[in-house]
Amino acid sequence: MYKFYMDNLLLPIAPSKFTLKVCNSNKTMELIKGGEINFLRSQGLSELSFEFIIPQVQYPFAQYPDGFQTANIYIDKLKALKVNKKPFKFNIFRTMPGGKMLFDYAVNVSLEAYTLTEDAGDGFDIVAAVTLKTYEEHSTIAYQNKTTALGGTAIKAESGRAGNKEIATYTVKKGDNLWTICKTQLGNGSKFGEVAKLNGITNPKLIYPGQVIKFAK
């Protein structure tokens, strides 16, 4: 038996299937001297989609913890989740007929879209198609900006993982390489290895126009 919960509201009839789309955030860039490179990044947010029936009459196989609920309860819940623009908990439970738990899937999500379809040919029920996206919390860092003598931008972190260090940034231009950038911005081109590591650049020879380079002061 499956049980689907959206923000602690049990769906009366569990979807017959659901789709989990795992996305990534890879990015392809054009190199200064021609050619392309694909930057492999961490897995992005995933999408979940499914359809479920909202009964307008009571069925013996439908699940109602507190007795029969009208269709408006579920329609209003979808509307509220969309309007509130806040993440909520999405749960899927699967149990054996005897009640033994097979698995429990729980994730924070946002409601991206939903559609409601009422077809007279299918009786009185409403079909809801839902698309969810996984949600991850992010910390916030406050910064103070100031212009450096070398023309870059120094950013002093007041809180967060950057601590109290200053970070200067430089936007790569056509013809630049990491050694000359370090020479002009830090006064020492041999620091290109440290700068590459700070920016997650695996090959210091591969930078592209428009790329923002950070320097720890």
Side-chain angles (χ1 to χ4, degrees):
M1 176 183 292
Y2 286 94
K3 291 185 178 181
F4 283 64
Y5 289 84
M6 293 180 63
D7 196 31
N8 296 319
L9 178 65
L10 174 65
L11 303 187
I13 300 177
S16 59
K17 66 176 182 179
F18 75 97
T19 302
L20 174 63
K21 181 181 179 182
V22 180
C23 307
N24 61 36
S25 52
N26 294 346
K27 191 171 184 179
T28 301
M29 293 292 182
E30 184 176 346
L31 302 178
I32 295 174
K33 296 183 179 180
E36 293 181 336
I37 185 170
N38 191 28
F39 291 88
L40 302 181
R41 298 180 176 178
S42 301
Q43 176 180 311
L45 301 178
S46 300
E47 289 185 357
L48 302 98
S49 57
F50 57 89
E51 293 184 353
F52 70 97
I53 296 173
I54 304 177
Q56 300 211 71
V57 295
Q58 189 168 2
Y59 296 119
F61 52 83
Q63 304 176 83
Y64 300 103
D66 300 314
F68 176 71
Q69 301 285 336
T70 64
N72 286 338
I73 297 294
Y74 305 96
I75 295 172
D76 290 345
K77 170 61 83 172
L78 289 171
K79 185 184 298 183
L81 292 175
K82 186 63 176 173
V83 172
N84 289 343
K85 299 179 181 179
K86 294 180 180 180
F88 58 92
K89 185 71 73 176
F90 176 69
N91 299 81
I92 302 176
F93 298 97
R94 188 179 185 187
T95 58
M96 296 285 286
K100 181 181 178 181
M101 181 71 68
L102 290 179
F103 72 81
D104 172 6
Y105 176 75
V107 64
N108 288 325
V109 297
S110 60
L111 178 56
E112 295 298 298
Y114 72 92
T115 58
L116 301 174
T117 303
E118 186 173 12
D119 188 341
D122 294 333
F124 300 103
D125 300 329
I126 298 171
V127 176
V130 174
T131 300
L132 309 175
K133 181 172 285 188
T134 55
Y135 176 85
E136 295 181 1
E137 294 284 351
H138 295 280
S139 59
T140 301
I141 301 176
Y143 292 101
Q144 291 180 341
N145 297 342
K146 63 181 181 180
T147 302
T148 67
L150 296 174
T153 301
I155 307 173
K156 184 176 181 180
E158 295 180 339
S159 62
R161 289 175 293 181
N164 292 321
K165 291 184 178 180
E166 288 190 353
I167 299 176
T169 62
Y170 175 84
T171 302
V172 178
K173 301 178 179 61
K174 187 174 182 179
D176 281 342
N177 62 64
L178 202 53
W179 192 94
T180 57
I181 292 173
C182 291
K183 177 66 175 177
T184 57
Q185 298 296 313
L186 299 176
N188 187 350
S190 64
K191 290 188 175 182
F192 72 91
E194 299 175 16
V195 173
K197 184 177 180 180
L198 175 64
N199 289 270
I201 300 173
T202 56
N203 187 342
K205 296 181 180 179
L206 299 178
I207 59 175
Y208 53 90
Q211 183 176 1
V212 177
I213 305 295
K214 297 180 295 184
F215 307 92
K217 295 287 189 177

